[in-house]
Amino acid sequence: MTWTAALALAWPLWATGPEAGAKSAAAARNGGLPVPIPLPSWSQVNPAPLPPIVRSTLPNGLDVVVARRPRQPVVALNLLIPAGLAHDPPNLPGLAGFVADMLRQGTARRSAEAVAEDLEATGGRLGVSAGVEFTRLSGQWLSRDLERAVELVAEVVTQPAFAAGELERMRPRWVAQARQAFDDPGELAARYADHLLYGPGHPLGRLPDPGPAMAVRREDLVAFHARHYTPRGALLVVAGDVEPDRVLDLVRRHLGGWEGPSAQGGPPSPQGPAGLMPPARLAASRVQFVEWPGQT
């Protein structure tokens, strides 16, 4: 089918409604092509009403933002912690991601199965992922389960078990993820681009390697958590059908005792990759070809 024939078939769908005649005339003046609809000016755009925002900072440094939006009986929680991939130690790239993956695999009080059962019983969901600068915990529950949600989030963040059995269960997955990056040409090109841009010694310039996943120990997970999982610089956002005063009361009760590295004798956590290491300066443009035999 030619492009002209395809346009002819689509024409009846476009040229319908009360303004079809005007559109047809405009299209005729435009060489038979549909005429784009002009966008409204900023003066014609109505601002979207935002819910009231309540902000508070706990004595331990945790910033809390609550937005009440009672249209639906649900509540969403997002917790951002300054413990991302840019904070990985040089000998264990990917450690921030390993720690994030282990948060849901059991706490000091509940096994991994118990955490999953709690989420299933409430119909809630909780995801954990490590980004460049932050690790994010995001979840959604019914508003009636707000207290259970805050309690669970606080527990997985402050009391992860890092059980040896769960570590060994997750290890093959991490190794497979590292190796899988070499099977995707687009992913491989992106990784090598970062490698050239940031430099091999920068946390963001490391190439995928299954070695760290094979070498990581429980002690490494515990040490990273103790050093970087701090309420100072962390942000908790709660939005939905909730009362701000009740949210703040629950957060103080379950996260008010969260202590940062200073209470454990460790140095403060650096804020972002710029505080860790500047990227390498490129003297000139470069082109690199990456060969991966056996790929089609």
Side-chain angles (χ1 to χ4, degrees):
M1 179 184 294
T2 65
W3 185 89
T4 305
L7 180 61
L9 289 176
W11 181 268
L13 298 178
W14 175 74
T16 58
E19 298 180 358
K23 289 182 178 179
S24 299
R29 295 191 298 270
N30 196 37
L33 297 177
V35 179
I37 301 174
L39 295 176
S41 65
W42 285 111
S43 61
Q44 298 173 292
V45 176
N46 296 324
L50 296 177
I53 304 296
V54 177
R55 301 175 183 270
S56 182
T57 301
L58 271 58
N60 61 5
L62 174 64
D63 289 322
V64 184
V65 176
V66 184
R68 183 174 183 271
R69 195 169 183 85
R71 293 185 178 181
Q72 296 180 345
V74 295
V75 57
L77 279 74
N78 278 269
L79 176 61
L80 283 82
I81 304 169
L85 301 175
H87 299 84
D88 286 340
N91 63 320
L92 284 177
L95 183 58
F98 302 157
V99 172
D101 285 346
M102 288 292 292
L103 292 185
R104 282 193 45 176
Q105 308 309 315
T107 70
R109 296 172 50 201
R110 312 184 215 199
S111 64
E113 292 78 10
V115 172
E117 289 171 359
D118 187 281
L119 290 170
E120 184 178 358
T122 60
R125 60 176 185 262
L126 176 64
V128 188
S129 61
V132 173
E133 297 186 59
F134 292 88
T135 290
R136 175 192 295 270
L137 290 89
S138 57
Q140 184 170 303
W141 289 261
L142 292 174
S143 300
R144 68 189 183 194
D145 297 316
L146 172 64
E147 183 167 5
R148 292 181 68 172
V150 175
E151 180 183 7
L152 180 62
V153 169
E155 190 174 323
V156 300
V157 168
T158 64
Q159 304 176 48
F162 297 126
E166 294 297 332
L167 171 59
E168 295 310 315
R169 187 178 68 84
M170 296 292 291
R171 193 186 302 276
R173 172 184 167 187
W174 298 333
V175 173
Q177 288 175 341
R179 289 175 175 167
Q180 192 174 17
F182 289 101
D183 294 331
D184 184 339
E187 179 71 12
L188 198 60
R191 295 295 187 97
Y192 268 93
D194 288 342
H195 183 69
L196 294 174
L197 178 63
Y198 289 99
H202 195 279
L204 303 183
R206 296 164 181 160
L207 293 174
D209 181 6
M214 294 296 297
V216 66
R217 304 165 302 165
R218 181 182 184 276
E219 293 78 8
D220 301 317
L221 303 173
V222 172
F224 185 92
H225 180 272
R227 177 182 174 89
H228 295 293
Y229 274 64
T230 167
R232 290 180 292 114
L235 172 67
L236 174 64
V237 180
V238 183
D241 185 17
V242 293
E243 294 295 336
D245 289 343
R246 182 165 183 262
V247 172
L248 293 175
D249 179 66
L250 291 173
V251 172
R252 294 188 189 100
R253 188 188 315 169
H254 294 287
L255 286 167
W258 183 14
E259 297 178 342
S262 59
Q264 304 169 14
S269 173
Q271 299 298 313
L276 294 176
M277 182 187 302
R281 290 185 174 274
L282 300 181
S285 60
R286 288 181 287 175
V287 176
Q288 178 166 346
F289 293 91
V290 180
E291 182 182 8
W292 189 246
Q295 299 299 304
T296 56

